[in-house]
Amino acid sequence: MVQGAFLVDLKGKHVIIFGGKNGLLGKAVTKALLVAKALPIPLSSSDCDILNPKGIEKILNKINPDLIINAAAYTNVDRAEDETEAAFSLNATAPLLLAVEAAKRDILLVHYSTDFVFRGDKKRPYGVTDKPGAFSVYGISKAEGERNLLEFGYDKTLLIRISWLFGAGKMNFVEKILSFAQREMQITVVNDQIGSPSYTTDIAENTLALIRHDANGIYHLANSGTTSWFGLASEAVKIAGLNCTIEPVPSHKYPTKAVRPKYSVLDLSDFTQLTGITPRSWQEALKEYMGHEFPELKSS
Ligand SMILES: NC(=O)c1ccc[n+]([C@@H]2O[C@H](COP(=O)([O-])OP(=O)(O)OC[C@H]3O[C@@H](n4cnc5c(N)ncnc54)[C@H](OP(=O)(O)O)[C@@H]3O)[C@@H](O)[C@H]2O)c1
């Protein structure tokens, strides 16, 4: 069957979302599924530890889902440098445990990965077939998770790389910047890492578009357009009408434990080709997010 040849109806489908109860993206995916009239079952790590094969099997037997979405991960990029084992367990081993269970049940597994799997030494958007080459433990562990899934080779696996999330329900870069900008007159933000900011609501909706189009294999999702962290912070502060100056700084003046890619823009063309959807710009998405989440701040 050719991908996208028919539309999968999500209505009434039972969907388990690991990381769906408390995760930044998982919450948005749960919400989008509700809008699509599916029957999402968002889970926390205390509902089911995805490092425990017996626990996974038990919950899948109980719920008998039509598909599994894995939005759970070890996501603290800097802490991962010291907690290598924990990062690899969650990001590399757990996805394979989920794939084994999905394959036993012949159901779709959706798994998220990251732009941070790439080295960042390119000057053009990364395509789905570009080779990962991360420097950071987080990036390497996520790339190993991808490789484990690809080597396992279960054909109902949808691996979605995403980048630079902001969205409701959990602290994120934009919320941190707005909180600083309300207290400080000036903040410094790095301007030499380039990527694509992405609204969790849009990633969630576009994930459902991929599922509806019966997608499998690797896809990239983000909002359209590119910027630096400095560009994202400046736009957020401008939209909020806050009186705070954002100063650009190079990464070497703001050293972090983990090395991040200098350039990690994702090429979205495979997604657009399959679904006919061009994601809206990150600026438009940011404005909507801030209008919803921070209505007390002026929206310009
Ligand atoms: N955030 C970004 O900017 C970004 C960028 C690119 C890619 N991604 C990828 O997008 C996905 C979602 O990221 P996110 O930022 O939404 O993550 P997040 O907010 O950090 O949420 C991750 C969730 O994983 C769950 N989890 C942790 N350990 C678990 C375990 N042993 N068993 C079951 N669940 C466990 C946690 O659940 P509890 O809270 O219940 O413990 C947590 O809510 C990840 O694959 C990440 O790599 C994120």
Side-chain angles (χ1 to χ4, degrees), residues 96-134:
L96 184 58
L97 299 178
L98 298 180
V100 167
E101 287 302 324
K104 267 202 241 163
R105 293 166 166 78
D106 194 29
I107 58 174
L108 177 69
L109 170 67
V110 180
H111 173 73
Y112 291 101
S113 190
T114 170
D115 57 328
F116 279 21
V117 296
F118 293 119
R119 182 161 290 263
D121 50 4
K122 285 209 159 97
K123 287 282 169 283
R124 54 147 188 88
Y126 280 92
V128 294
T129 55
D130 278 326
K131 293 271 165 287

Side-chain angles (χ1 to χ4, degrees), residues 129-144:
T129 55
D130 278 326
K131 293 271 165 287
F135 292 109
S136 66
V137 169
Y138 169 72
I140 296 168
S141 67
K142 292 293 290 185
E144 188 163 313

Side-chain angles (χ1 to χ4, degrees), residues 9-17 33 37-42 60 62-69 107-108:
D9 188 4
L10 281 161
K11 194 172 163 196
K13 294 268 194 308
H14 292 85
V15 185
I16 280 196
I17 308 111
L33 284 163
K37 299 196 167 22
L39 302 168
I41 302 107
L60 292 176
K62 185 170 151 206
I63 291 165
N64 194 22
D66 298 293
L67 68 114
I68 301 171
I69 298 182
I107 58 174
L108 177 69

Side-chain angles (χ1 to χ4, degrees), residues 22-25 44-45 48-50 72 75 138 142 162 165 170:
N22 305 312
L24 180 61
L25 179 60
S44 68
S45 54
C48 176
D49 176 359
I50 59 166
T75 56
Y138 169 72
K142 292 293 290 185
I162 56 177
L165 292 182
K170 193 164 180 175

Side-chain angles (χ1 to χ4, degrees), residues 17-28 43-52 56 70-77 86 89-91 94 111-116 138 142 160-166 170-173 196 198 200 203 221 229 266:
I17 308 111
F18 293 106
K21 214 176 249 180
N22 305 312
L24 180 61
L25 179 60
K27 286 183 179 192
L43 299 176
S44 68
S45 54
S46 40
D47 296 322
C48 176
D49 176 359
I50 59 166
L51 297 173
N52 174 1
I56 300 170
N70 180 29
Y74 186 105
T75 56
N76 190 318
V77 177
S89 299
L90 260 179
N91 294 344
H111 173 73
Y112 291 101
S113 190
T114 170
D115 57 328
F116 279 21
Y138 169 72
K142 292 293 290 185
I160 308 176
R161 294 195 188 110
I162 56 177
S163 63
W164 294 27
L165 292 182
F166 62 84
K170 193 164 180 175
M171 184 54 79
N172 61 78
F173 175 81
S196 297
S198 306
T200 52
I203 296 289
L221 279 181
W229 294 109
L266 300 173

